[in-house]
Amino acid sequence: MTTLERDGTKLACFDGGGGGEAVVLVHGWCCDRSFFAPQAEHLAKAGRRVVAPDLRGHTARAMRPTSPTRSAFSPTTSPGVHRKARPRKPVIVGHSMGGIVAFDLAARYPDMPGAIVMLDSSVARSQAARTAAGGLCKRLAGPDRVEVMRDYVSTTLFIPTDDPVRKERLLERMCSAPAHVVVSAMEGFNFKDGGAEI
């Protein structure tokens, strides 16, 4: 386990495995690096170097209560952060919001990644989807935010055949994220960032 630092924010990061091609695993909204633990273990055993950081606010260290755009997360894995052991041309694998981070990172630092993999990620959203997300953000900022989030995550991010015990464990973890992280992260990924739309 190592620590990354960017703009005074310290973030936990798994950095292990062999000396082979590097893979950077970027978790999704209201998750943390542990959600990629099985993949990290498998890739490390296969001889790959694996880097799995926590994104801002998605760890025990609370993110400052601001409204970050998606670019606020990308520098977590940018070349300027992990100077001591910077991966060269890593494959960046992002899940959900992490996939958008990977996409944004590749756009900002085109020479950095060898490839990106986006899992369950949506780069382009219809106006209807953006409007619906805006309404969800308002409800997530309200007094019933945990119930709203549980309902949203349970019905939108899982499928009927998911293991119920595993589902409940993940729901508990995701719903324990600080309120400002839940809302500001979703707002940052739903609306404009520097003129670009997602």
Side-chain angles (χ1 to χ4, degrees):
M1 192 64 58
T2 187
T3 302
L4 303 180
E5 186 167 350
R6 176 77 178 197
D7 300 328
T9 301
K10 291 184 178 180
L11 303 161
C13 176
F14 172 82
D15 187 346
E21 242 183 282
V23 179
V24 177
L25 302 174
V26 187
H27 65 76
W29 176 67
C30 295
C31 302
D32 60 37
R33 68 188 183 283
S34 70
F35 281 60
F36 263 129
Q39 291 81 8
E41 181 180 357
H42 173 79
L43 291 166
K45 284 182 179 177
R48 295 289 190 104
R49 177 179 171 206
V50 181
V51 178
D54 281 338
L55 296 179
R56 294 181 188 218
H58 295 71
T59 184
R61 299 175 185 274
M63 178 169 58
R64 281 170 250 161
T66 58
S67 296
T69 56
R70 66 184 182 272
S71 62
F73 294 109
S74 293
T76 301
T77 48
S78 76
V81 174
H82 209 191
R83 295 186 186 280
K84 291 182 181 176
R86 184 183 304 164
R88 186 175 183 279
K89 291 288 185 183
V91 174
I92 303 173
V93 180
H95 171 244
S96 189
M97 183 183 81
I100 302 171
V101 170
F103 181 86
D104 185 71
L105 183 62
R108 291 173 188 274
Y109 305 98
D111 295 331
M112 186 228 179
I116 64 170
V117 179
M118 300 172 66
L119 308 172
D120 296 328
S121 300
S122 175
V123 176
R125 292 185 178 186
S126 67
Q127 185 56 49
R130 292 161 66 86
T131 300
L136 175 62
C137 285
K138 290 180 181 175
R139 297 199 320 275
L140 287 170
D144 301 325
R145 77 165 190 89
V146 174
E147 291 78 9
V148 171
M149 185 169 177
R150 280 187 68 89
D151 181 63
Y152 169 74
V153 172
S154 180
T155 58
T156 308
L157 306 183
F158 289 92
I159 59 175
T161 54
D162 279 324
D163 176 77
V165 175
R166 179 176 174 274
K167 176 181 176 179
E168 183 59 30
R169 177 171 51 84
L170 296 177
L171 273 171
E172 287 295 321
R173 294 282 298 283
M174 293 179 73
C175 291
S176 68
H180 65 275
V181 172
V182 172
V183 176
S184 60
M186 181 168 281
E187 284 177 341
F189 280 78
N190 188 50
F191 302 111
K192 291 183 180 180
D193 182 15
E197 299 218 1
I198 50 174

